[in-house]
Amino acid sequence: MESVPAIFAGTAFALFGAALLLWTGVRVMHREPVALGVAPVPAAALTTLFGAASLLLGLWCFGRL
């Protein structure tokens, strides 16, 4: 029973992180803005950073099982 919240949180973080990294990569490859009204380089860097952090947090949750 105690592992169910860890599985849910790990899945949510991992899916969000992977989707954010994929979306950022596609936007950067097509030279489209990652966030409207924000400079392209900091926006891409921050979304990559948060996507990687979320993905690592999801993997950490799975490692705690």
Side-chain angles (χ1 to χ4, degrees), residues 8 14 16 24 28-29 37 40 49 61:
F8 176 76
F16 176 75
T24 302
V28 168
M29 280 180 24
L49 176 72
C61 286

Side-chain angles (χ1 to χ4, degrees):
M1 265 328 231
E2 295 171 355
S3 64
V4 174
I7 292 171
F8 176 76
T11 303
F13 280 122
L15 284 176
F16 176 75
L20 187 59
L21 287 173
L22 179 68
W23 181 80
T24 302
V26 169
R27 299 292 286 188
V28 168
M29 280 180 24
H30 290 282
R31 296 191 183 270
E32 295 177 0
V34 176
L36 294 176
V38 181
V41 174
L46 282 175
T47 55
T48 301
L49 176 72
F50 283 111
S54 180
L55 187 58
L56 288 174
L57 188 59
L59 293 176
W60 179 78
C61 286
F62 286 131
R64 302 284 294 170
L65 295 177

